[in-house]
Amino acid sequence: MRLRDIGEFGLIDLLRSKLNPADHTVVVGIGDDAAVLAYNAGAHVLLTTDMLVEGVHFRQDIIDFCSLGWKSVAASLSDIAAMGGTPRHAVVSLAIPPDAKVDSLERLYDGMAQICAEFETHVIGGDIVKTSGPLVISVSLTGEVAKGKALLRSGARPGDLVFVTGHIGGSAAGLAFLENDQKALIPADEQLELTNYHQRPIPQITAGKILAASEGCTSCNDISDGLASELNEIAKASGVGIHIEERRLPIAPSVRNFARFSSHCATNWALYGGEDYQLVGTLDPLRYEEVADQCHLQGIPLTLIGRVTQGSSVLMETEDGYEVLLQARGYNHFAE
Amino acid sequence: MRLRDIGEFGLIDLLRSKLNPADHTVVVGIGDDAAVLAYNAGAHVLLTTDMLVEGVHFRQDIIDFCSLGWKSVAASLSDIAAMGGTPRHAVVSLAIPPDAKVDSLERLYDGMAQICAEFETHVIGGDIVKTSGPLVISVSLTGEVAKGKALLRSGARPGDLVFVTGHIGGSAAGLAFLENDQKALIPADEQLELTNYHQRPIPQITAGKILAASEGCTSCNDISDGLASELNEIAKASGVGIHIEERRLPIAPSVRNFARFSSHCATNWALYGGEDYQLVGTLDPLRYEEVADQCHLQGIPLTLIGRVTQGSSVLMETEDGYEVLLQARGYNHFAE
């Protein structure tokens, strides 16, 4: 079915039917000029937004529409996680080429509904427009966090420990795997793991809440642009240096295996790949054990990768004993 | 200057410098994973979003970038006005073709900053990405409204009076004027008025607040798709009919003059043109005088155009005495 067969209003009705039912926080949902939302009286409201463009952020031969829906919302959920917040309400706008298939857009919303259900978030509005260009997806997401408890980038102090949740480098490895012609040559379970790292990242909402409640987390960032870029942001915002050790980077065995198989460098994926949507931050050493225990109880790996230093440099001690400067080398739109 | 000369991060720094300084409601603004915002404890949060695409919603030969920035935010402010709310915080995302001029984007943000300053709203985040297609602007806006005071579409009752704020039909007249080759043939002050109707609509925040505080406003909508479409939405949501009179439509003299000059129908502009961003709604007859007085004290024209009826039809009595059915005939993306 093509868009012209059902028109804008038919499409809106169809996509709306995919969304999860509203809960008590949605006083007025889709269908009026704006949604009316109830937040806790003692809370601050969080607001973040992300825009994804076909051909720039995603390609249909690398990701299916359902996973794309999941990942589009995951990016914003991860921003709320990095603030230590609870995600609440999303608005989703799409600019759609007129030859798009209705079925693809339904799958996109299926994926959004899946991740929203998983993280108790509600899509409560949006806008659907046509474009002569590629598909554009805009997600704006609110969350809430207790007053004064938001995790910022700016509180790291020399002596703090640097942590990472989960595993990193997996999204870039997954992308390389999905672009690779010899993908059948690695074990099936590792194929699935690499695919999921890239297509279905898990925002670290629970870890963010544990960190926000701990009183010991002095800075936090989500890994959307790669570890090197995020560490530089924390160092700059906090006015400190950071020293990490390559051998401590939590890179999954499947990622190391595929790096060897495909002659890539797993450390580079972890440092510069991005889209892992894990959390990186700094902890008061006196609070580390308590936070790590709470994370492990929830099945969340928490790995120490280094420490906060005086100065302003972000350095990494390599596995062969060299000390190298890590520069922010995330993706730069508009760079030649 | 072209984008490739300053890159993504140079552009972000430049555009950020255009924005108004944060106020006490912005606990953490641009620069962290999400903004942290303070709302009043007794308030509900409003959330709305709009997406505009070059070639669909705007053309560079019809609107300059500064006015486009104004109008992009005006559309969302108008949604908050229609809920009776106070606008608070916006996030703005842009998908930008790589050959866009930096100067144009600066003008766009100048216009956004102008309207945000006028309505005490703050842009507190966004996303800047590249696209192979046309410029896409996505604005998401929050507001707040006292609990239980939001103006919905669903409360109109037979016997209520139907009102419109300001003048309508002006945006469509302005578009026709700007597309017209003989524009120099009408007086200069009317040229400016028509241009402003189209390029610089004024969201009716003050009127919305008066209506929300009045206890007598039983439904409200903003006129983004044309009066006929908005009246049908109110009738459908409220389960009522509506009867209006053509002779009562508040169409400005400059719009009537240009309609005569250009052989257009001013009533059609008012009914189907849209983008006027005035408010239309229904009032308890016992409260009308009080609300009208308060609006007039603020310099806001409030015009009665008809009444709410039993049934479900939206009817208009024409100037020559016929009764016609008004159908929702707003713009339909993806219709052939």
Side-chain angles (χ1 to χ4, degrees):
Chain A
M1 189 158 54
R2 296 278 160 175
L3 278 172
R4 69 178 68 90
D5 301 325
I6 59 170
E8 175 187 357
F9 304 107
L11 179 65
I12 289 172
D13 286 344
L14 189 63
L15 297 183
R16 187 194 296 191
S17 73
K18 298 277 172 188
L19 300 173
N20 310 308
D23 68 0
H24 68 282
T25 65
V26 184
V27 183
V28 177
I30 294 175
D32 218 300
D33 296 292
V36 182
L37 308 168
Y39 289 76
N40 289 312
H44 276 151
V45 174
L46 304 170
L47 182 60
T48 182
T49 194
D50 284 288
M51 185 176 264
L52 292 89
V53 179
E54 185 170 358
V56 178
H57 298 86
F58 61 89
R59 282 165 36 193
Q60 288 188 36
D61 57 332
I62 297 292
I63 191 165
D64 61 283
F65 273 92
C66 186
S67 298
L68 177 62
W70 174 284
K71 193 170 174 176
S72 304
V73 178
S76 294
L77 286 168
S78 180
D79 285 324
I80 299 297
M83 303 300 285
T86 303
R88 286 283 183 245
H89 305 104
V91 284
V92 174
S93 293
L94 302 179
I96 307 176
D99 63 350
K101 286 183 187 147
V102 172
D103 179 66
S104 304
L105 300 170
E106 285 190 82
R107 294 293 84 73
L108 186 77
Y109 269 63
D110 284 338
M112 289 182 182
Q114 284 170 15
I115 194 168
C116 285
E118 185 81 21
F119 293 97
E120 295 173 61
T121 303
H122 293 89
V123 175
I124 46 70
D127 201 5
I128 301 269
V129 300
K130 74 175 171 191
T131 177
S132 61
L135 177 64
V136 179
I137 305 169
S138 173
V139 176
S140 298
L141 180 67
T142 69
E144 62 183 309
V145 66
K147 274 182 192 159
K149 293 291 187 185
L151 300 174
L152 308 184
R153 296 173 179 171
S154 49
R157 303 157 308 187
D160 286 346
L161 303 174
V162 181
F163 70 85
V164 167
T165 63
H167 294 100
I168 56 177
S171 181
L175 177 61
F177 164 71
L178 291 163
E179 285 176 331
N180 192 294
D181 288 335
Q182 299 170 291
K183 38 173 93 88
L185 297 180
I186 63 167
D189 59 334
E190 294 193 3
Q191 294 190 31
L192 182 63
E193 198 176 307
L194 292 172
T195 301
N196 281 339
Y197 278 137
H198 185 69
Q199 294 185 343
R200 298 257 176 171
I202 312 286
Q204 296 301 306
I205 299 292
T206 303
K209 286 190 199 179
I210 291 172
L211 290 161
S214 75
E215 308 271 336
C217 180
T218 52
S219 73
C220 191
N221 226 345
D222 73 316
I223 304 180
S224 49
D225 290 330
L227 183 65
S229 174
E230 314 306 342
L231 289 173
N232 271 281
E233 285 185 350
I234 289 173
K236 190 176 173 191
S238 300
V240 295
I242 288 176
H243 185 279
I244 64 167
E245 294 172 64
E246 183 181 10
R247 69 184 172 88
R248 292 182 182 270
L249 295 182
I251 297 173
S254 62
V255 172
R256 294 202 186 274
N257 285 347
F258 184 65
R260 270 191 298 271
F261 169 80
S262 63
S263 305
H264 281 93
C265 170
T267 297
N268 265 356
W269 282 337
L271 292 176
Y272 305 112
E275 295 196 350
D276 287 320
Y277 300 122
Q278 295 294 334
L279 301 182
V280 55
T282 55
L283 272 168
D284 181 334
L286 297 176
R287 300 284 184 155
Y288 168 69
E289 205 157 345
E290 176 193 329
V291 172
D293 283 351
Q294 287 180 51
C295 284
H296 294 154
L297 275 174
Q298 300 287 331
I300 302 163
L302 193 80
T303 307
L304 285 189
I305 61 168
R307 60 196 160 75
V308 179
T309 61
Q310 307 280 353
S312 61
S313 303
V314 178
L315 300 168
M316 182 177 77
E317 186 183 322
T318 64
E319 284 184 11
D320 42 12
Y322 293 99
E323 199 163 71
V324 296
L325 189 67
L326 294 185
Q327 287 178 307
R329 247 177 44 196
Y331 185 76
N332 182 343
H333 290 271
F334 314 117
E336 287 300 86
Chain B
M1 190 159 51
R2 296 279 162 174
L3 278 174
R4 68 179 68 89
D5 301 325
I6 59 170
E8 176 187 356
F9 304 106
L11 178 65
I12 289 173
D13 286 344
L14 190 62
L15 297 182
R16 188 194 294 191
S17 73
K18 298 279 174 187
L19 300 173
N20 310 308
D23 69 359
H24 68 282
T25 65
V26 183
V27 184
V28 176
I30 294 175
D32 217 299
D33 295 293
V36 182
L37 308 168
Y39 289 77
N40 289 311
H44 277 150
V45 174
L46 303 170
L47 181 60
T48 182
T49 194
D50 283 289
M51 185 176 265
L52 292 88
V53 178
E54 184 170 359
V56 177
H57 299 88
F58 61 90
R59 282 167 32 194
Q60 288 188 37
D61 59 330
I62 297 291
I63 191 164
D64 61 284
F65 273 92
C66 187
S67 298
L68 178 61
W70 174 285
K71 194 171 174 177
S72 304
V73 178
S76 294
L77 286 168
S78 181
D79 285 323
I80 300 297
M83 303 300 285
T86 303
R88 285 284 182 244
H89 306 104
V91 285
V92 174
S93 293
L94 302 179
I96 307 176
D99 63 349
K101 286 183 188 149
V102 172
D103 180 67
S104 304
L105 299 171
E106 286 191 82
R107 295 293 84 71
L108 185 78
Y109 269 63
D110 284 337
M112 289 183 182
Q114 284 170 15
I115 194 166
C116 284
E118 185 80 22
F119 293 97
E120 296 172 62
T121 304
H122 294 88
V123 175
I124 45 73
D127 201 5
I128 302 268
V129 300
K130 74 175 171 189
T131 176
S132 60
L135 178 64
V136 179
I137 305 169
S138 174
V139 177
S140 298
L141 180 68
T142 69
E144 63 183 310
V145 66
K147 273 181 193 162
K149 293 291 187 185
L151 302 173
L152 307 184
R153 297 173 179 170
S154 50
R157 302 157 308 187
D160 286 346
L161 303 175
V162 180
F163 69 86
V164 167
T165 63
H167 296 100
I168 56 178
S171 181
L175 176 62
F177 163 72
L178 291 163
E179 286 177 330
N180 192 296
D181 289 336
Q182 300 171 290
K183 36 174 93 94
L185 296 180
I186 63 169
D189 59 334
E190 295 194 2
Q191 292 189 32
L192 184 62
E193 198 175 308
L194 292 171
T195 301
N196 281 339
Y197 279 137
H198 185 69
Q199 294 185 343
R200 299 259 177 170
I202 312 285
Q204 296 300 306
I205 300 291
T206 302
K209 286 190 198 179
I210 291 171
L211 290 160
S214 74
E215 309 270 336
C217 181
T218 52
S219 73
C220 191
N221 226 344
D222 74 315
I223 304 181
S224 49
D225 290 329
L227 183 64
S229 175
E230 314 305 342
L231 289 174
N232 272 282
E233 285 185 349
I234 288 173
K236 190 176 172 190
S238 300
V240 296
I242 288 176
H243 185 277
I244 65 167
E245 294 173 64
E246 181 180 11
R247 69 184 172 86
R248 293 182 183 271
L249 295 181
I251 296 172
S254 61
V255 171
R256 294 199 186 276
N257 285 347
F258 184 66
R260 272 190 297 273
F261 169 81
S262 61
S263 304
H264 280 95
C265 170
T267 297
N268 266 355
W269 282 336
L271 293 176
Y272 305 111
E275 293 195 351
D276 287 319
Y277 300 122
Q278 295 294 335
L279 300 183
V280 54
T282 56
L283 271 168
D284 180 335
L286 297 176
R287 301 283 185 155
Y288 167 69
E289 206 157 343
E290 175 192 331
V291 172
D293 284 352
Q294 287 180 51
C295 284
H296 294 154
L297 276 174
Q298 299 288 332
I300 302 163
L302 192 81
T303 307
L304 285 189
I305 60 168
R307 61 195 159 75
V308 179
T309 61
Q310 306 281 353
S312 61
S313 302
V314 178
L315 300 167
M316 182 176 77
E317 186 183 320
T318 65
E319 284 184 9
D320 41 14
Y322 293 99
E323 197 162 71
V324 296
L325 188 68
L326 294 185
Q327 287 176 309
R329 246 177 44 195
Y331 185 76
N332 181 344
H333 290 270
F334 314 114
E336 288 296 270

